[in-house]
Amino acid sequence: MSSGAAGSGAAGAAPSANRPRAIVAGHGEFASGLVSAVELISGRGSQLIPVAVDRLGVGDIEEMLRSRMMEAGVRVVFTDLQAGSCTMAARRILRGMDDAVLVAGANLPTLLDFVFADGRTPAEAARHAAERGRGAIAVHTGGT
């Protein structure tokens, strides 16, 4: 797949398929596992920066996430748990960033939708991806 010229526009334009667009943060190997799966399925894992937060307090996680966001110029964070320490830290960061988006409870369908949203800004793509991820959850029972 060719990324074309999608990433050559001004700020707010859709970035190229290889440029970081978001951080994925979580406990254990959550982030690296999801980013690895996105890469294997789509070849677009480089749009996501995995961040593991093992044995860190909320303040340390906040500092780490803020630093990674600033270094990469991203304003989207996906986290593992709605009430987890990564989400609490990201919410603190978002208080001072009107253009940032947090998606808590991220899953693989969410991230795949996000990395293929070439025509959307990262914030728009994150909102759309969250809806897709929510819709991808299903319960199947025996006999049906």
Side-chain angles (χ1 to χ4, degrees):
M1 288 185 168
S2 172
S3 64
S8 60
S16 74
N18 295 321
R19 184 173 171 200
R21 298 177 70 197
I23 289 173
V24 181
H27 300 84
E29 300 301 318
F30 173 83
S32 61
L34 280 177
V35 172
S36 173
V38 168
E39 179 61 29
L40 287 170
I41 294 167
S42 70
R44 293 179 171 218
S46 61
Q47 291 185 34
L48 305 169
I49 302 167
V51 175
V53 298
D54 297 344
R55 298 183 179 101
L56 295 176
V58 174
D60 293 329
I61 296 169
E62 179 183 356
E63 187 177 312
M64 180 190 305
L65 289 177
R66 187 182 310 277
S67 173
R68 300 272 169 88
M69 288 175 76
M70 295 302 141
E71 288 169 8
V74 301
R75 295 292 182 267
V76 175
V77 179
F78 294 95
T79 61
D80 53 0
L81 296 170
Q82 177 70 18
S85 54
C86 293
T87 300
M88 288 188 276
R91 288 178 60 106
R92 287 181 181 180
I93 295 167
L94 265 60
R95 286 183 193 141
M97 302 175 87
D98 293 339
D99 61 341
V101 175
L102 165 65
V103 177
N107 58 23
L108 184 56
T110 300
L111 297 179
L112 287 169
D113 190 84
F114 179 79
V115 300
F116 280 111
D118 295 332
R120 299 172 193 241
T121 67
E124 291 167 343
R127 288 182 185 95
H128 184 268
E131 291 302 317
R132 286 297 197 117
R134 182 178 297 120
I137 297 171
V139 176
H140 300 274
T141 60
T144 59

